[in-house]
Amino acid sequence: MSFPSDFLWGAATASYQIEGEARGEGRGECIWTRFSHTPGKVANGDTGDVADDHYHRYPQDVALMKDVGLQAYRYSLSWPRVIPLGTGETNPLGLDFYDRLTDEIMKAGIQPWVTLYHWDLPQVLEDKGGWSNPDIVGWFSEYTELVTKRLGDRVKHWITLNEPWCSASLGYLYGVHAPGVQDPKRAFLAAHYLLLSHGEAMKIIRKNIPDAQAGITLNLTPQLPATAHPDDIRVAWRSDGFSNRWYLDPVFKGQYPPDIVEEVMSMGGLEGVDLTQVQEAAQPMDFLGINYYMRWIHKHVPGKPEESEFAFPSESTFTDMGWEVNGKAMADMIVRVQQEYNPKAIYVTENGAAYPEPETVTEPVLEDPERVAFLKEYLGAAEDSIQRGAKLKGYFLWSFLDNFEWAYGYTKRFGITHVDYTTQKRTPKRSALYYKDIIANNAL
Ligand code: FCB
């Protein structure tokens, strides 16, 4: 199986998950620092204070990326590292860090792909309402102005937001992610102002970097009915509306999905908000980023029209996250998005798997056969989606390094590079060597 000759091979990380130095070097507090230091919020009380110490070890990490042959590297900027209080005064140490990091990446012959927001909101802005405060559109624009002007001479690939569904729903509805709020009204406001912030950021990127390629990254999750029973189909489609169409429709069509808007309004969500504002989210994009991890299969619960139970086939296998391994569902999702929304290009901006692994490794290469099999299946699916007409132009593996997996702390390892959190020693896993071969051959 081989890929188009211009197919882009990359890997991804995010600032809070790897950088460390979360309290020094002039960095302001972010919602994840506050959340992870709140007892009971993160497994084992883990925090991102040190993480992979990438802030200090980035030259070594970039050298490892070069060894694997990465063509592109997707990383995110920490807003409170460059503007510690969210707006106003900037932190020269933070800006210098992203200069050095970007230069190091380019010196290694790797294309830098920057995500503006991968979840580390300045805490002071959360104290003013965070994503549910309409002012955040202006705050985010100020930050976007700063970093696009600073890095735009070198960085030509920009992603505005990482997975706004997670920011809004995990952060403000379920409260399992920072800032840990459980308030449906605030969650829908957060989603709304995330979408508007994306639209404004797209305009700023265009203005400051005319030759940039820019888009958004959404986590898309197939929500499939367990059977052809109309109630299974209905609950699955409803879930699709809340998780997928709530973001896809605004960024491509400038409107919310009508079936879901009705339900949200009837719950008192988005009260007093001018919904036509969401037209501004539909700025022309050069690509859509898809983060793909799993599908859900819904079986309706008799008598409870909005509830469903998950019904996976008995032969399904699952990763350490409890997420089902099923490459075909990713191919189907990519093809569906191409057909229904027709993006100019699609990149898988994250895909990968966690499996249980030891904290300390003594051998030169850690064997991770399950991750190798996972990659084989999903890259085969990526290739299949291209055969089926999707304009899939590249793939970023999650993740280059083991890292701080949000509410799971350091208990879930997604890396193709093992990190010993006591010594900070890096060890390649077999999957890194497997990926290296795929990149070198542009084929499975
Ligand atoms: C995604 C996040 C990423 C990582 C993976 C496993 O939702 O974007 O930071 O945690 O899940």
Side-chain angles (χ1 to χ4, degrees), residues 13-14 17 74 118-119 162-163 166 170 177 217 219 291 293 321 323 350 352 354 398-399 403-406 414:
T13 63
Q17 295 181 276
R74 171 176 178 243
H118 199 132
W119 305 358
N162 179 71
E163 304 188 349
C166 292
L170 301 182
H177 277 187
T217 279
N219 54 307
N291 286 359
Y293 287 100
M321 296 293 282
W323 297 345
E350 284 181 29
W398 184 271
S399 177
N403 60 50
F404 176 79
E405 179 47 38
W406 308 116
F414 274 92

